[in-house]
Amino acid sequence: MSTATSDTATSGTAAPRTGGSRTDGSRTGGSRTSEPHADGPRTAKPTALTVIRRVAWLANAVFWSVVAVREAVDHGWPAGTLALVFLIAPDLTFLVGLRDAPHMARGQLPPRAVPFYNAAHRALVPAVLIAALVTVGQAVWAPVLAALCGWLAHISYDRAFGFGLRTKEGFQRD
């Protein structure tokens, strides 16, 4: 039988740790951020503000999904096809770093794919393009509007489920 250390030897129960390493090498305690470390990003319990942001992003995602579907129903298969393509397309940026993926930590995007991923996941880009299309008025081509709505819905769903922009090393930003 091995000798117990510190609090286990005196009280018979182990005291909770506030920080440090577990036996599997991962860290415990510390800040509430997702800091990269040897085993990948650290996960933490979301704060109230994080939950509010995610709910707002989810409401935004549902709104843009409804607009994209409405455009598809009103304007036919070209609008529906483009909305679906742009709902999926931002994640195709993962293919840029596919050959480096086996060498990355869990949850890390290969650094060469990060600029493409971040460019495709900035909500400002499709939002500005939608605003430009709407200001044009009657010259708006419905399939383009549906595609931009699908793109914005994708970004909003990602943010709602905790997937944001990446650091230059490829880990999730806070």
Side-chain angles (χ1 to χ4, degrees):
M1 194 160 161
S2 67
T3 309
T5 59
S6 76
D7 296 331
T8 307
T10 58
S11 66
T13 59
R17 297 165 109 184
T18 57
S21 295
R22 292 191 282 194
T23 57
D24 65 356
S26 62
R27 304 228 357 122
T28 60
S31 67
R32 294 186 170 257
T33 61
S34 295
E35 298 173 8
H37 62 286
D39 296 334
R42 184 183 323 183
T43 58
K45 185 176 181 182
T47 63
L49 183 59
T50 302
V51 171
I52 291 169
R53 281 187 188 144
R54 287 187 180 180
V55 168
W57 277 110
L58 185 60
N60 194 32
V62 169
F63 172 78
W64 290 113
S65 296
V66 167
V67 173
V69 168
R70 178 67 194 229
E71 288 296 315
V73 168
D74 288 347
H75 300 287
W77 69 267
T81 302
L82 280 176
L84 186 60
V85 165
F86 275 74
L87 184 66
I88 297 167
D91 281 342
L92 295 178
T93 57
F94 287 124
L95 298 176
V96 172
L98 193 59
R99 89 169 173 224
D100 299 331
H103 308 295
M104 299 294 112
R106 184 170 184 232
Q108 183 182 14
L109 184 65
R112 61 185 286 219
V114 169
F116 301 102
Y117 177 89
N118 284 346
H121 285 83
R122 293 203 184 269
L124 190 58
V125 175
V128 167
L129 292 173
I130 287 172
L133 278 175
V134 170
T135 58
V136 170
Q138 296 298 328
V140 173
W141 191 47
V144 173
L145 182 59
L148 293 172
C149 290
W151 186 7
L152 203 47
H154 173 96
I155 294 168
S156 300
Y157 281 118
D158 274 0
R159 297 294 196 290
F161 296 122
F163 302 109
L165 298 175
R166 302 292 185 122
T167 63
K168 63 183 177 180
E169 294 83 21
F171 292 101
Q172 290 288 330
R173 289 186 190 172
D174 289 331

